[in-house]
Amino acid sequence: MSGQMSSRGRRYFDVLVVGAGPAGMAAAISAAKCGLRVGTVDDNFHPGGQIWRTGSRGVPVAEAVRWFEAFERSGIDVLFGTRVFDQLERGVLLAETPLGISELGYGKLIIATGARERFLPFPGWTLPNVMGAGAVQAMVKHGLPIKGKRVVVAGSGPLLMAVSTYLLKMGARIPVISEQASWRSLARFAVALSGQRVKIGQALRLKMELARIPFSTSSWPVEAHGKDRVESVSIWRRGRVENIRCDYLACGFHLVPNTELASLIGCRIERGCVQVDDFQQTSITGTFCAGEPTGVGGVELALVEGQIAGLAAGERTAEACLLFRKRKRGMKVVSALEDAFRLREELRRLASSDTLVCRCEDVSFSRLQPYTAWRAAKLQTRCGMGPCQGRVCGPATQFLFNWNTESVRPPIFPVLVESWANLADKPNPEP
Amino acid sequence: MPDRVVLTINGVTMEVQRGTTVANATVLAGQPCRTSAGGAPRGPLCGMGICFECRVIINGRLHCRSCQMLCEPGMDVRTDV
Amino acid sequence: MSAIGCDVAIVGAGIVGAACAYECARRGLKVIVVDGEMIAAGATAAGMGHIVVMDDSEAQFAITRYSQRLWQELRPELPDDVEYDQCGTIWVADDEEEIEEVHRKQRLYAERGVPTEVLDARELRDLEPNLREGLVGGLLVPEDGVLYAPCAARFLMERAQRHGANVRVGCPVTRLEEGQVALGGSQIRADILVNAAGTSAPELTPGLPIRKRKGHLVITDRYPGFARHQLVELGYLKSAHTLTADSVAFNVQPRRTGQLLIGSSRQYGAEHSEVDHHMLLPMLRRAQQYMPGLGQMLMVRAWTGFRAATPDKLPLIGPWPPDKSVWLATGHEGLGITTSLGTGRILADCLTGVKPEIDIEPYLPSRTAREQVHA
């Protein structure tokens, strides 16, 4: 990485990649291979994003090792601890870094901003130690002792199994995995993936490791109990409510694409996914998108989409075309996932009238019910006006009430006032 | 570099493994990170820096996302509970 | 085509429309309120929600003071989510010229019974320790306040409904004339049509001298106690004064949640609602100059809004001469929240033959018609 930048510096890259998860890493490596000057930014302090989170030691998971090595060897400039929050003008993004604000100029942009967990409200979900499934995994990777602790894993999606495998390996005790999808949905998922040898292998390995854990389908959390933190959780399974003691509740309902940056700069987004062409190019020429924001499809798909985007940004379209077949196979996962882990109706009725939906502003379910649109609800209750900027309550209200969340405005991430103020070129314009 | 880091949480001294996030340190200390607008204790939710539930006061600075910050020697962490 | 009848049809469900609806309905008039979107969709949602006395002109002073008194009367009935806070305003002086302005204001307000207190540099810092060093002094106006406008508008509308008003949102209005409000597929017939549509008012009543004046605002995370009063630089008056130039001025407001609302900016000729960096950045920079501690605060949202501005900076309240069924309640620029209650009262007084409590001549729309005639 080049030397210290001034607290207001403009850096220019032929290709700027936002996000250093699998898609971003693959895109950066491919673009660098084209001989371009590549820069990558990420809020974290190591590459890997969420699914390949290394923890503080920076040691990658086995299947990621070769990607990490290639990333490190590729001569890419990586800006860690860096959050993109605004577009200054076409071709220049603004980012907040540990050293101050940075203007990032680029010729081509690759958006690889990944996805986040979807949270749905249910009584007690705001108790400390109730977290997302990926969240518990991330916390353990960063030093949370979990050995001997009881963790109930709940919600929906393949993440639950992946997290459970990891937690088991770290010595946690998992009384149950509660998956809201039905057994039939999951069986269909497995069938849809046949032909995806890697996935089947993974699935079998997971199954073996999890054999000792009760895995309930058509099951969901009904209430988390505890005084200052979660002590037990009531789970609906096998036709009735069971109360299970736990130290942590790891609960997330599949993933939601992070489309805020794409939305800010004006990329076309449909049904919550950034629209791209065969070369991963968005509706804005020169801006590409790879990985979960184009449709949640897992690591393998993210890697191939990243490679295509990187090659396309480097105008090596012939090489990019060679990857189309692999991507096509990976796309099957996207629709299979959507289908298998579709959220069931019962989840709309988990919240009781005083269950909080907006955690930043403490807005309860009953206060939101009278509204038919997001904007009115926001204005009157301030739901969605807190620092999470609707990242938690937005997907929840979309599911609960069918509201459409609006287009984004800068800052797309809370930043310090001085990150904008110090950019002002001129003193106060004369009246 | 020492393997352990010493910091204080709400005035109480704690020792953690290097590489532990501040969020984890508060969990280890049995403290919630913050108090919600309605007065309830809250801890980390998303673990990846987007929910802002894990905000704590670090060395006098408010609203630090503790899940995105590593414990450093001598850090003064306060939860606003 | 069916037509519904009423006494007063009000177009615009912002805080001004809501205040008008309340005042008319509680006097027994049959009221229908219509809005193309929802309650508080326009400037009401975007603004700072301040209740301030302003003395740019006698007429401006009269209506802001009158209306502020009405808010004080209403205060005990306001629900919690309106977050009414009589925090007061401090006009901050940066140099000797501004201190003279402080004294001028103090004398003017004293003559008119508005309590104020002149602050020297030390007193200013005692009251607001986070203002930068070197400010010369200020004027405290303790009866000013702030509130959360969207909830206030909803409250007034609910009150209107309790007195029998009918509120129809999501109904875009295509025509407002000759005793009829056209709504796409239906009509509303009324003796009196009130145009309270803010920046959309000229679309419904062609010839209204209203221009859109864009503003930017930023809100921070919660920092309780950082500022205790609404803080405004005296240069704000220069900014609000100018009719043509773009300008920014220091204006910070503490909300009851502990969040800081940072403004303010004014520009003409900007039609789109996106954030303009060439306005926002200087605005934040100016705020940071007055309160350096703001720099280290987390900024959570930024947004824009449009004020409905008239050439003489006074609202248009009263009958519109070219169409005897049309009345106006619009053009409030940056004082819509403050003067909403006064506007509603004046309008309802006129409609029910009650003598308004202040001289309404300066606000009559006929003044602009006269100007047009003389032009």
Side-chain angles (χ1 to χ4, degrees):
Chain A
M1 189 174 159
S2 51
Q4 199 93 338
M5 4 170 211
S6 65
S7 72
R8 187 214 159 157
R10 180 179 290 207
R11 306 196 51 181
Y12 179 84
F13 300 100
D14 297 323
V15 179
L16 177 66
V17 181
V18 180
M25 290 168 73
I29 292 166
S30 293
K33 277 201 196 128
C34 300
L36 297 169
R37 189 153 172 245
V38 181
T40 303
V41 303
D42 198 290
D43 188 24
N44 295 298
F45 286 93
H46 295 278
Q50 304 315 314
I51 194 145
W52 280 349
R53 186 177 279 272
T54 62
S56 316
R57 302 243 161 92
V59 177
V61 299
E63 67 257 28
V65 167
R66 68 180 182 93
W67 288 97
F68 273 66
E69 284 173 355
F71 189 67
E72 218 153 295
R73 277 197 319 259
S74 59
I76 297 164
D77 262 329
V78 193
L79 312 177
F80 289 119
T82 298
R83 286 166 298 288
V84 173
F85 68 94
D86 189 11
Q87 176 179 244
L88 188 61
E89 61 203 50
R90 178 70 65 214
V92 183
L93 295 179
L94 287 180
E96 194 179 61
T97 81
L99 296 174
I101 194 176
S102 199
E103 293 175 37
L104 302 171
Y106 59 85
K108 305 252 170 77
L109 176 67
I110 302 179
I111 298 174
T113 46
R116 60 186 185 275
E117 288 186 88
R118 177 188 286 104
F119 297 102
L120 296 180
F122 53 89
W125 77 298
T126 55
L127 281 170
N129 296 354
V130 175
M131 304 185 234
V136 174
Q137 176 167 294
M139 300 273 282
V140 173
K141 289 198 175 181
H142 284 294
L144 183 71
I146 206 76
K147 190 170 161 134
K149 302 277 194 225
R150 288 170 65 88
V151 184
V152 169
V153 178
S156 197
L159 187 58
L160 301 191
M161 289 184 280
V163 165
S164 300
T165 306
Y166 173 73
L167 293 179
L168 269 186
K169 197 168 75 186
M170 300 300 286
R173 284 200 272 224
I174 301 181
V176 70
I177 301 173
S178 161
E179 163 63 66
Q180 61 90 30
S182 67
W183 177 239
R184 266 208 314 273
S185 295
L186 292 185
R188 270 202 315 266
F189 181 55
V191 166
L193 294 183
S194 62
Q196 310 251 2
R197 272 189 245 115
V198 175
K199 277 264 182 271
I200 292 289
Q202 275 177 5
L204 287 175
R205 197 169 54 242
L206 282 178
K207 194 163 185 289
M208 277 166 18
E209 286 163 7
L210 296 177
R212 292 182 337 248
I213 303 176
F215 181 81
S216 282
T217 54
S218 298
S219 170
W220 54 85
V222 167
E223 184 167 355
H225 310 274
K227 190 167 160 291
D228 300 319
R229 61 185 69 86
V230 69
E231 288 159 19
S232 69
V233 56
S234 295
I235 300 274
W236 174 264
R237 66 190 281 243
R238 303 188 290 208
R240 60 196 181 86
V241 174
E242 282 182 30
N243 198 48
I244 303 168
R245 273 186 314 108
C246 62
D247 299 299
Y248 299 96
L249 172 57
C251 180
F253 293 87
H254 202 30
L255 300 175
V256 173
N258 291 327
T259 57
E260 289 78 19
L261 176 58
S263 187
L264 176 77
I265 65 178
C267 299
R268 200 172 72 238
I269 295 176
E270 272 167 33
R271 292 170 4 134
C273 298
V274 182
Q275 299 301 295
V276 293
D277 66 12
D278 281 343
F279 292 99
Q280 304 292 142
Q281 184 162 239
T282 67
S283 57
I284 297 177
T285 308
T287 293
F288 301 82
C289 187
E292 312 288 57
T294 65
V296 174
V299 173
E300 298 303 323
L301 181 60
L303 289 168
V304 82
E305 287 181 349
Q307 289 176 282
I308 293 171
L311 290 168
E315 290 172 14
R316 296 221 180 143
T317 48
E319 276 182 61
C321 288
L322 297 177
L323 294 166
F324 284 7
R325 191 130 53 117
K326 192 169 180 196
R327 178 179 59 192
K328 192 162 178 208
R329 286 202 300 271
M331 291 296 292
K332 292 218 192 98
V333 181
V334 177
S335 41
L337 279 174
E338 256 182 49
D339 196 46
F341 299 102
R342 186 157 291 125
L343 299 176
R344 58 201 307 146
E345 275 307 303
E346 290 91 330
L347 301 175
R348 288 200 168 92
R349 297 189 283 274
L350 292 182
S352 65
S353 61
D354 57 8
T355 304
L356 296 181
V357 176
C358 168
R359 299 171 63 124
C360 296
E361 300 293 323
D362 276 21
V363 184
S364 65
F365 184 64
S366 61
R367 284 190 62 206
L368 295 173
Q369 278 175 305
Y371 298 101
T372 53
W374 175 237
R375 194 170 174 232
K378 255 176 106 163
L379 270 185
Q380 291 295 322
T381 68
R382 292 220 286 271
C383 172
M385 288 206 189
C388 95
Q389 301 182 326
R391 284 179 171 85
V392 175
C393 60
T397 52
Q398 194 143 5
F399 176 66
L400 292 174
F401 305 117
N402 268 317
W403 292 341
N404 275 319
T405 52
E406 293 160 66
S407 61
V408 299
R409 263 190 309 243
I412 59 170
F413 203 77
V415 291
L416 301 179
V417 169
E418 69 185 16
S419 288
W420 253 341
N422 289 350
L423 262 192
D425 278 328
K426 307 183 279 286
N428 185 29
E430 288 304 306
Chain B
M1 210 190 309
D3 212 29
R4 310 282 292 168
V5 173
V6 177
L7 69 158
T8 58
I9 299 190
N10 293 338
V12 175
T13 307
M14 275 196 73
E15 203 181 273
V16 299
Q17 196 78 357
R18 180 167 287 281
T20 302
T21 56
V22 176
N24 281 329
T26 64
V27 174
L28 284 168
Q31 301 276 331
C33 292
R34 66 180 200 98
T35 309
S36 74
R42 292 285 172 80
L45 174 70
C46 76
M48 56 185 279
I50 58 120
C51 73
F52 282 79
E53 287 282 70
C54 68
R55 285 172 285 164
V56 297
I57 305 167
I58 296 181
N59 299 339
R61 161 95 75 98
L62 273 76
H63 303 306
C64 299
R65 295 173 297 154
S66 60
C67 73
Q68 294 291 98
M69 305 195 65
L70 296 179
C71 293
E72 275 164 33
M75 238 182 195
D76 171 34
V77 176
R78 295 200 180 258
T79 68
D80 69 352
V81 182
Chain C
M1 209 182 326
S2 64
I4 306 149
C6 63
D7 299 321
V8 182
I10 300 172
V11 176
I15 198 157
V16 171
C20 291
Y22 173 45
E23 285 290 339
C24 291
R26 76 178 188 167
R27 291 164 205 233
L29 291 169
K30 186 155 176 249
V31 174
I32 298 182
V33 184
V34 193
D35 194 291
E37 212 186 314
M38 58 178 184
I39 294 174
T44 304
M48 283 184 106
H50 52 213
I51 300 175
V52 291
V53 175
M54 293 277 277
D55 59 86
D56 179 59
S57 60
E58 278 296 339
Q60 189 184 69
F61 176 83
I63 195 170
T64 53
R65 179 58 173 165
Y66 171 51
S67 200
Q68 183 183 73
R69 282 235 154 96
L70 295 177
W71 276 112
Q72 286 168 342
E73 279 168 26
L74 192 60
R75 177 189 189 170
E77 303 170 51
L78 295 173
D80 241 5
D81 61 3
V82 174
E83 289 178 5
Y84 184 103
D85 184 9
Q86 193 168 299
C87 54
T89 299
I90 296 181
W91 292 91
V92 175
D94 195 13
D95 57 30
E96 286 311 312
E97 189 192 342
E98 290 183 356
I99 278 291
E100 278 180 32
E101 175 64 14
V102 163
H103 287 292
R104 184 202 66 81
K105 258 168 125 60
Q106 188 274 332
R107 281 191 300 271
L108 184 92
Y109 287 1
E111 281 166 31
R112 286 156 181 73
V114 177
T116 64
E117 195 186 318
V118 174
L119 307 170
D120 64 24
R122 195 189 52 81
E123 286 161 337
L124 179 64
R125 289 217 79 215
D126 281 345
L127 283 183
E128 291 287 351
N130 290 308
L131 281 170
R132 72 166 163 81
E133 295 204 17
L135 291 169
V136 180
L139 184 74
L140 169 65
V141 185
E143 290 192 1
D144 281 352
V146 304
L147 52 66
Y148 185 61
C151 288
R154 190 209 71 241
F155 165 75
L156 291 170
M157 208 62 94
E158 282 168 356
R159 277 286 174 95
Q161 284 172 304
R162 262 205 264 155
H163 289 281
N166 197 298
V167 180
R168 300 175 59 178
V169 295
C171 297
V173 171
T174 52
R175 243 180 36 248
L176 177 87
E177 58 194 18
E178 291 167 358
Q180 289 197 347
V181 177
L183 306 169
S186 63
Q187 289 173 342
I188 297 174
R189 258 194 345 257
D191 294 330
I192 302 290
L193 313 174
V194 178
N195 187 343
T199 50
S200 302
E203 287 163 35
L204 295 172
T205 307
L208 285 193
I210 286 180
R211 291 175 66 192
K212 289 160 74 156
R213 206 152 189 217
K214 185 173 179 179
H216 289 71
L217 282 174
V218 161
I219 196 164
T220 68
D221 205 335
R222 289 165 155 83
Y223 298 90
F226 182 82
R228 296 93 183 256
H229 309 80
Q230 169 157 237
L231 300 170
V232 200
E233 61 163 303
L234 279 155
Y236 178 96
L237 300 170
K238 296 193 204 104
S239 165
H241 261 271
T242 71
L243 298 176
T244 49
D246 296 349
S247 60
V248 300
F250 166 66
N251 186 354
V252 160
Q253 193 189 85
R255 316 243 45 172
R256 251 195 14 212
T257 58
Q259 294 169 284
L260 277 303
L261 199 52
I262 306 173
S264 64
S265 81
R266 283 177 157 78
Q267 52 187 136
Y268 279 125
E271 287 301 314
H272 65 90
S273 61
E274 275 152 39
V275 163
D276 291 312
H277 289 94
H278 73 274
M279 298 299 299
L280 181 77
L281 270 39
M283 182 183 92
L284 291 176
R285 160 85 116 209
R286 187 132 185 103
Q288 205 183 333
Q289 282 165 353
Y290 275 84
M291 298 190 96
L294 283 178
Q296 285 292 299
M297 290 189 172
L298 261 193
M299 161 172 67
V300 171
R301 287 166 51 233
W303 66 94
T304 65
F306 291 93
R307 309 170 181 84
T310 59
D312 60 6
K313 295 186 275 340
L314 294 173
L316 297 159
I317 309 171
W320 175 244
D323 183 335
K324 70 179 194 318
S325 70
V326 173
W327 286 57
L328 303 180
T330 185
H332 293 79
E333 221 267 357
L335 291 171
I337 310 304
T338 302
T339 61
S340 54
L341 294 188
T343 301
R345 195 61 81 87
I346 288 170
L347 184 86
D349 282 346
C350 291
L351 293 180
T352 54
V354 173
K355 182 164 190 282
E357 290 166 89
I358 61 172
D359 175 19
I360 62 167
E361 183 86 19
Y363 322 114
L364 290 177
S366 50
R367 72 187 192 272
T368 66
R370 270 197 304 276
E371 280 157 27
Q372 284 174 5
V373 165
H374 289 306

